């Protein structure tokens, strides 16, 4: 890997090639039943580990990357954006969230170990069933409740790992040429210089911007970098509680099959990053910032009539369930019931995103 660096733009991790990943707070689903997509509750604040080198554990400094705060059993989803086609690997404790296989420095097919951008707009959990996933939920290391612990028998990494691949030079040049031709067609049509021609779409329709709206319960803005560094110098270095991701409830969500040949992608990754998960007390000690408020109660959210979502793409093919992930038990089996009362959403609260299936049209007398 070389050239363009991974950047942190606000709370968005930007990998080389313009691949953006945001970490969205959300409602934790019940561990029984299958549910629609829960709404976003604002972005998690994300900070660079290097800005707090004096107060984070030494191991975090060695791994580098970024960090964000999560409450015990809090749920998240990942929102993706991409300027050009990209293959993005997502690890949870260095277990692939798509294939269930160990973390790899190479793309693989059979099983596929990445998501395809911009076709895949978001990912809420591990690939665990046909057309479904199990929600990402934060749990401490050491209990065996993480995906990492249940798949590998060890808990040594925790956190989230991201790594992206661009198209190879030939395919990227071909894709860019196609896109430029499409733009020329649009310009010609706009100025009346030619007949209306059908536009060829790139591999993967653009994702809805950010997925479900994150505007509910967003955390307050972070203080400036100078203030963060001042806190970092004042805070003593000590061991922090390590968090990883286990699984919660099941929701309807597809992970799309890559329709390209594996050889269309570069053989080496463009960039990668380690995302550390931090408990709220450790977050405040390390950064000097208060963590976001605890997640809103599920029953209160539903009672307020706020939206849930379905997403449907008629042109995409869902991946098969990942065998290593199919037996991962939810965190409730490890930590006990959460005793939070569940109130299912009314039909009118569920909004359709993506392709509409459409209503039937009746024929008549001609």
């Amino acid at each position: 890997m070389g050239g363009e660096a991974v950047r942190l733009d606000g709370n968005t991790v930007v990998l080389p090639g313009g691949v953006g990943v945001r970490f969205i707070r959300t409602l934790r689903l019940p561990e029984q039943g299958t549910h629609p997509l829960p709404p976003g509750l604002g972005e998690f604040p994300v900070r660079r580990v290097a800005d707090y080198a004096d107060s984070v554990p030494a191991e975090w400094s060695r791994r580098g990357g970024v960090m964000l705060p999560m409450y015990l059993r809090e749920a998240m989803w990942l929102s993706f954006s991409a300027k050009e086609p990209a293959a993005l690997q997502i690890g949870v404790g260095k277990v692939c969230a798509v294939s269930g296989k160990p973390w790899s420095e190479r793309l693989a097919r059979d099983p596929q170990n990445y998501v395809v951008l911009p076709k895949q707009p978001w990912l809420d959990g591990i690939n665990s069933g046909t057309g479904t996933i199990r929600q990402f939920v934060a749990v401490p290391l050491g209990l065996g409740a993480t995906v990492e612990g249940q798949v590998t028998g060890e808990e040594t990494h925790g956190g989230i790992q991201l790594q992206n691949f661009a198209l190879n030079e030939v395919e990227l040049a071909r894709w860019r040429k196609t896109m430029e031709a499409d733009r020329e067609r649009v310009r010609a049509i706009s100025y009346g210089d030619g007949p209306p021609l059908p536009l060829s779409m790139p591999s993967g329709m653009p994702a809805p911007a950010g997925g479900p709206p994150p505007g509910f319960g967003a955390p307050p803005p972070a203080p400036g970098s100078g203030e963060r560094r001042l806190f970092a110098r004042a805070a003593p270095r000590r061991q922090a509680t390590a968090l990883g991701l286990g699984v919660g409830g099941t929701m309807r969500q597809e992970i799309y099959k890559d329709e390209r040949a594996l050889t269309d992608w570069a053989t080496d990754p463009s960039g990668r990053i380690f995302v550390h998960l931090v408990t709220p007390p450790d977050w405040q000690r390390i950064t000097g910032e208060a963590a976001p408020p605890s997640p809103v109660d599920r029953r209160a959210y539903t009672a307020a009539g706020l939206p849930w979502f379905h997403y449907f793409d008629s042109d995409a093919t869902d991946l098969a369930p990942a065998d290593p992930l199919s037996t991962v038990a939810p965190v409730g089996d490890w930590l006990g019931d959460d005793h939070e009362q569940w109130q299912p959403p009314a039909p009118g609260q569920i909004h359709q995103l993506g392709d509409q299936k459409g209503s039937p049209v009746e024929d008549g007398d001609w």
Side-chain angles (χ1 to χ4, degrees):
M1 287 174 286
E4 190 179 352
V6 180
R7 297 183 292 106
L8 182 61
D9 184 2
N11 295 323
T12 302
V13 168
V14 183
L15 292 148
V19 171
V21 181
R22 296 186 302 140
F23 306 88
I24 309 297
R25 308 181 77 212
T26 191
L27 295 177
R28 183 165 48 85
L29 299 175
E31 293 174 1
Q32 293 77 38
T34 301
H35 307 276
L37 300 176
L41 302 178
E43 298 175 348
F44 285 95
V46 184
R47 304 289 178 260
R48 299 193 320 152
V49 168
D51 288 340
Y52 305 95
D54 295 336
S55 53
V56 298
E59 185 178 17
W60 294 16
S61 292
R62 288 195 298 271
R63 289 174 172 167
V66 297
M67 57 185 175
L68 60 88
M70 291 190 77
Y71 288 86
L72 178 66
R73 284 183 161 182
E74 186 172 14
M76 74 152 54
W77 53 273
L78 308 182
S79 174
F80 307 130
S81 60
K83 297 178 180 178
E84 297 179 330
L88 179 66
Q89 293 177 318
I90 302 121
V92 287
K94 297 192 74 172
V95 172
C96 177
V98 177
S99 70
K101 300 293 186 181
W103 182 256
S104 172
E105 296 297 322
R106 293 287 184 267
L107 297 180
R109 185 77 58 82
D110 192 29
Q112 181 176 312
N113 67 350
Y114 58 94
V115 298
V116 183
L117 306 184
K119 191 69 171 178
Q120 189 80 38
W122 48 71
L123 185 66
D124 288 59
I126 64 169
N127 177 23
S128 60
T130 303
T132 64
I133 59 90
R134 298 211 72 166
Q135 193 174 37
F136 293 133
V137 175
V139 287
L141 302 189
L143 302 176
T146 62
V147 175
E148 176 186 6
Q150 295 187 59
V151 172
T152 71
E154 299 179 345
E155 291 181 316
T156 58
H157 298 101
I160 301 169
Q161 297 76 41
L162 302 171
Q163 181 167 265
N164 74 308
F165 292 74
L167 290 174
N168 64 42
E169 292 183 2
V170 173
E171 291 301 321
L172 184 57
R174 180 180 290 126
W175 180 86
R176 287 172 174 171
K177 185 176 181 180
T178 300
M179 294 302 294
E180 181 58 32
D182 287 346
R183 283 191 287 268
E184 289 298 329
R185 283 189 180 121
V186 171
R187 282 193 285 267
I189 294 168
S190 299
Y191 291 98
D193 296 332
L197 299 174
L199 299 183
S200 61
M201 298 306 297
S203 174
M205 292 285 288
F216 182 78
S225 59
E227 185 176 358
R228 293 204 301 274
R229 290 192 181 97
L230 175 62
F231 281 121
R233 287 196 299 270
R237 183 197 296 271
R238 71 184 190 199
Q239 189 60 39
T241 301
L243 294 179
L245 291 178
V247 300
T250 299
M251 73 180 73
R252 288 178 285 274
Q253 184 172 107
E254 296 171 323
I255 301 177
Y256 297 127
K257 180 181 178 181
D258 187 6
E259 301 299 335
R260 292 181 175 275
L262 191 60
T263 53
D264 286 358
W265 300 103
T267 55
D268 295 320
S270 302
R272 69 174 193 170
I273 191 169
F274 196 108
V275 182
H276 303 265
L277 306 179
V278 186
T279 65
D282 285 333
W283 176 264
Q284 184 153 8
R285 177 183 58 79
I286 291 169
T287 68
E289 304 172 30
S294 58
V296 68
D297 173 80
R298 295 189 302 232
R299 183 169 178 263
Y301 188 98
T302 300
L306 296 169
W308 295 71
F309 301 89
H310 279 312
Y311 183 71
F312 175 73
D313 190 328
S314 61
D315 297 325
T317 303
D318 185 33
L319 290 180
D323 288 341
L325 301 177
S326 62
T327 58
V328 173
V331 297
D333 288 2
W334 297 80
L335 305 181
D337 295 337
D338 60 8
H339 305 296
E340 185 178 343
Q341 187 173 2
W342 171 247
Q343 180 176 328
Q349 290 177 256
I350 301 175
H351 297 243
Q352 177 69 46
L353 300 174
D355 295 349
Q356 298 286 348
K357 296 183 179 180
S359 301
V361 178
E362 295 181 0
D363 194 12
D365 294 332
W366 285 54

